[in-house]
Amino acid sequence: MFPELLPQPRFVSGDSGAGVVLQSPLHVHAPAALADTVAVFASDLANAVGWDVRSSDEQSAIIVVRVDESMPAEGFALRVDGRVDITVATATGLSYALTALRQLGPVELFGETLSPCPEWRLPGIDLVDEPRFEWRGCHFDVSRHFFDVATVCRMIDLIAMHRLNRLHLHLNDDQGWRVEIPAWPRLTTVGAYRSGSPVGHEDEKVQDNVPHGGFYTAADIASINAHAAKRHVQIMPEIDLPGHAQAVLAAYPEFGNGDEPLAVWTHWGISHNVLNVEPATLDFAEEVVRYVASLFPGSPVHIGGDECPSDEWAASPSALAIMEANGFDTPGELQGLYTERLGAALQADGHEVVAWDEVLDADVLEGTIIAAWRNASKGVRAARRGLDTIMCPEQFLYLDVLNSDEPDEPVAISPLPRVTTWEKVYGFQVIPDELEPSLHHHVRGSQVQIWTEYIATRDHLDYMTFPRLSAFAEVVWGSATAVEDFRPRLERHLERLAARGVRFRPLD
Ligand code: ACM
C-alpha cells in the first residue's frame, strides 16, 4: 500500500484525505515533552536539505503532534488530510512516525550531505502502526575488530532508521578487551591490543603481524549512550565469560587454569584458555561485570556464556574439587557458577540479564533471557523452561556469512555452501512453528548478529550489514510478506541508504 515505507505498516490504512506540500520553514506543533525528538528531526532536516523547522501554535502548524497515552508505547498514528497529524504515546512513537513521514518524502531527506529539496509532497494518508516485537536488535562485535565511537554512533543512526531499538555491543573476546576498567587497568593496557590478525581465512594460517586494538573509556560509553537515547535505541553491553577470555588471561594470568603466559589471541576461533572457577576469579568477574553494567544504567546486560570448552577444568584438580563440592556430574556444569553469580549480581543491581543459549546446559537463574543462536529450538527450550528468549539463530541471522554463492564475494566466516542471502533473512520466522501458542509470549523478539572476524573496515561493515538488516527490520517489525512484494520497497529504501552514504551490497 505504501511502497515507500520500510518496514511497511502492519495494519491496512483507512480512507486517505487531502495531500499536502511541505516546505521550509516547516511549522511543527508538539507538546513540550516531545521537544527533544522534534529537535532531532529538525537537525536531520537541516543537515540533509537545509530546512528550517520551527515550533508554532496549532493553528499555523502544518505538522501537529498529540499525545494519547492509550496508544501502544512504540506505536503511532499518522494522518495527512490538509495537514499532518501525528498521535503517539511516547517520544519513541514520535520518532518512528517522523521516520515514516520522511520515507514518504524525497530520498534527499535522508542525505548525508546537503542537497536541495524545494518541497516535500505528501499524499493523503491514514495509518496506524506498531511493532509486533519489543526486542528488535542488532548485535555488533567490536572485539574482533575495534570500531571507534563515530562508527558505533553511525550504526545507531542506521539501525534507528530501520526502527530497530537495541544495539548489542560485544565488548570482549579472545582477541581484545574493549572497555576501560579503572580497578583492572591491564584489561585495556594489555588486553585491548593484539600483535596481529589472520590474513584471508583463518584456515590459511597466514598472519599480517599488524598490531590492532582500541577501547572505550567511560566517557566514550556515555557519549554512545547519549547518542543512542536521542535515536531511541538502547545499548546492551556484553561481557562474555568464562570462555572467550584469552584477552583477560593475557592481562591477568592468575585467573586462568595453567602456568603458561598467554598473549591476546591473534587467531579466530574458540580459544581453549578459559577462566578458572576459583572464588577469587568469580569475585573478579562479578566486580568487572557490575562495573560495566553501571556504565549502562537501566540497560539489560549480556553475560555471554557461549562456546566455553571445559577441557581445562577437566584437567584441573582444583576445578574438579569445586565440581564435586557443588555436586556437579560434569566439568561443563561449572559454567553455571558464572551464570548464576553474575546473573544474581546484575539482577540485584536492577539489570535484566541475557545469555547465549549454552547456559541452558547448567544452572540458570529465573528471569535470565536466552539469546537462541545455535538454532531456533534453543529458544523453544528456553520458553518451555519458563524463560524469555531473543531469537537470533545463526542459520538466518548471522551477517558474517557469505551474501551469495558468487565467486567474487569477499572472504567470510564460513566457506560455501553456507550462504545467507537477504531473501533468506526476509524469510525468517521469529516465532518457530514448534512453539506452543501458550508460550509465544516468551519470545521477546529477535536480532541480527554482526561478528567481525572478517569485517575490518566501515565499508565492509556496510556491505555485510545491508541490505540484510533492512530485510530483517521488516521481519521483526512483524509486517513481512512475500519477497517479490518486498523487493520494490527494498529498492526504494536502498536509494535512501545510498543518499546516507551506506556502501551496501547491491541486490544482484
Ligand atoms: C556465538 O555465535 N558464539 C554466540
Side-chain angles (χ1 to χ4, degrees), residues 244 306-307 356 358 373 398 451:
H244 289 282
D306 59 323
E307 300 175 322
W356 297 115
E358 283 94 330
W373 75 274
Y398 270 40
W451 297 103

Side-chain angles (χ1 to χ4, degrees), residues 2 5-11 65-66 68 71-79 85-104 125-131 136 163 477:
F2 290 106
L5 292 181
L6 190 160
Q8 71 168 335
R10 287 178 63 214
F11 306 110
V65 181
R66 253 192 221 91
D68 173 353
M71 299 265 304
E74 295 185 292
F76 61 88
L78 176 60
R79 184 169 171 78
D85 280 286
I86 295 171
T87 311
V88 294
T90 66
T92 303
L94 176 58
S95 164
Y96 294 165
L98 292 171
T99 302
L101 194 68
R102 277 163 77 203
Q103 289 187 345
L104 291 159
I125 293 165
D126 186 3
L127 74 86
V128 179
D129 203 7
E130 72 176 287
R136 303 184 306 283
R163 293 188 235 147
W477 187 263

